[in-house]
Amino acid sequence: NISVETSGDFPASTTNFGLELASIQGTVGATVSNNNSTGNTYGILLWNLPTSTNINVTGGTMTGNQYGILATSNDPQFGAASPSTSTVSGVNITGSTVAGIAVDNSSNTAAVNLTIKDDCEIVGTGHLLTGVAVLGPNANATIKDNDASIHGFAIGIDVNGGSATITNNHIYDNGIGVRFTNAGTGTVNNLNNFDGGGNPDNGRDIQATASAGLVSATPNNSFAGDIFGVENLSATNIDASYSYWESAS
């Protein structure tokens, strides 16, 4: 169990990080708790974690980093990794200048699996950038039970070539709540709330671009998009039945 606070620890480096979990293998696990990172390139970096035991990041606040958390198959310093699986829970992320969280296998090196759960709050400003980016084939995100919300971005969750299972989250005040593109696939269901309540709604709750893969949006979503609840620009049907629609259209 590791707890540390970092702030701009290697300001001269383009690859600096607050905390890195790397090359944890065999049956070794790790839990890092309540760490704060400010002003780094990567607040927390997760790489090469093929262990059969859980890797957990819990609590803490990532502020003003380029990436609040990056889970990657291609470390900017050490290169290619083995397939990795890890979990992030209860982390607050704000002020990121590239993405709040990125699950990145854009180099198609090895599978990267990240679970983001239990009231992570990922906050953007000005409807710019991306809250959670799932990048490349075999980049896989499970995003669940985040009532604390993903809001304030151009795109709340961007599944760009990867896959995502998205359940029971509060996603509001984004240009697009969830986007699927470049063969990105996924399921969005079971108590996702796209209604901002007293705060702004999304422009589009779910968008599948012309290049999206298979997407399912049933059942039990609460749609409230100002323009579309579900906008399907692809040639494949999206089932969004058995959900709640704020607008009669």
Side-chain angles (χ1 to χ4, degrees), residues 1-6 18-22 24 29-36 44 55-60:
N1 188 8
I2 303 169
S3 180
V4 9
E5 180 162 349
T6 63
L19 173 68
E20 180 172 17
L21 299 181
I24 301 174
T31 297
V32 297
S33 302
N34 299 321
N35 296 284
N36 301 325
I44 295 177
I55 302 294
N56 297 308
V57 175
T58 66

Side-chain angles (χ1 to χ4, degrees), residues 165-189:
T165 300
I166 301 167
T167 59
N168 192 30
N169 302 283
H170 193 193
I171 304 167
Y172 68 92
D173 191 24
N174 302 287
I176 301 170
V178 181
R179 184 179 78 158
F180 296 89
T181 192
N182 291 330
T185 64
T187 301
V188 185
N189 63 10

Side-chain angles (χ1 to χ4, degrees), residues 62-69 93-101 122-125 128-131 153:
M62 306 292 115
T63 304
N65 304 287
Q66 290 186 29
Y67 296 85
I69 297 173
I93 300 174
T94 187
S96 300
T97 60
V98 177
I101 296 177
I122 306 170
V123 180
T125 57
L128 303 170
L129 309 175
T130 301
F153 294 97

Side-chain angles (χ1 to χ4, degrees), residues 6 9 31 37 70 90 111-112 117 122 127 131 140 147 152 155 171-172 180 188 202 204 207 211 218 237:
T6 63
D9 49 352
T31 297
S37 177
L70 173 65
V112 182
K117 68 174 188 174
I122 306 170
H127 303 106
N140 308 299
D147 295 334
I155 304 174
I171 304 167
Y172 68 92
F180 296 89
V188 185
N202 301 301
R204 296 162 170 83
Q207 183 190 72
S211 63
T218 183
N237 290 338

